[in-house]
Amino acid sequence: MSMVSRVPFQLSGRYAERNRWEVLNGPGDSRVTGSEIIHDENLVDQWGDKVILITGVSSGIGVETVRVLVSTGATIFGTARNLDKAKEALGELFDTGRVKLLFMDQTELSSVRACAEEFLKESSKLNVVINNAAVSLSNFLVSIT
């Protein structure tokens, strides 16, 4: 029989106190934000030579990840199955000139390959990959009666 520890692991570092188990209360709690880390680490406008690829940028955390990382000055390629939805969600971030969209449906290997080919036409390097996109389980559910 395996035992599950009831004592959370101990964190260390600059943000440990703000991320203790006892203070986690959901959105708006004391946890550090990505924007705070970018500022604390003096990364604002410091990644002009970097290229970031983020999957799933049409909603949720993908949009917010782009929003924060654009402040680094990096060129950001975002992927989405619905480019119109992604454009609407990212809005003014396109005005920076550093955000580019690529079509990719992760449920189709041919789409992933085509996206990789498109990316390579636009960039010869890739510094950071954030695989945020998920596959909807509703596409795979089978009704049993």
Side-chain angles (χ1 to χ4, degrees):
M1 178 163 138
S2 68
M3 298 290 290
V4 176
S5 173
R6 296 196 184 273
V7 178
F9 61 91
Q10 298 301 308
L11 299 172
S12 61
R14 181 187 295 198
Y15 305 111
E17 188 62 27
R18 291 174 60 185
N19 287 282
R20 287 183 309 113
W21 179 264
E22 300 83 4
V23 299
L24 303 183
N25 292 313
D29 65 13
S30 68
R31 284 175 286 185
V32 66
T33 66
S35 183
E36 287 176 286
I37 292 170
I38 298 288
H39 284 85
D40 291 351
E41 297 298 325
N42 298 314
L43 294 175
V44 174
D45 294 325
Q46 296 302 305
W47 280 10
D49 62 335
K50 306 288 187 228
V51 176
I52 301 171
L53 176 76
I54 305 170
T55 65
V57 301
S58 62
S59 65
I61 199 167
V63 174
E64 295 309 312
T65 303
V66 173
R67 189 175 314 286
V68 167
L69 289 176
V70 114
S71 70
T72 66
T75 298
I76 300 174
F77 288 86
T79 73
R81 287 182 299 192
N82 184 331
L83 296 180
D84 289 334
K85 182 179 175 184
K87 286 176 187 172
E88 185 176 329
L90 294 169
E92 76 284 351
L93 295 175
F94 284 107
D95 296 342
T96 66
R98 293 189 305 263
V99 178
K100 302 174 185 209
L101 282 178
L102 299 171
F103 172 79
M104 184 173 74
D105 180 347
Q106 286 192 167
T107 66
E108 297 289 333
L109 186 55
S110 61
S111 177
V112 175
R113 287 184 173 138
C115 181
E117 288 176 20
E118 279 302 306
F119 172 82
L120 289 172
K121 287 178 186 175
E122 297 205 35
S123 181
S124 62
K125 68 178 177 175
L126 178 59
N127 301 98
V128 178
V129 175
I130 300 173
N131 190 19
N132 170 65
V135 175
S136 172
L137 291 178
S138 64
N139 295 336
F140 301 103
L141 294 178
V142 176
S143 177
I144 300 174
T145 52

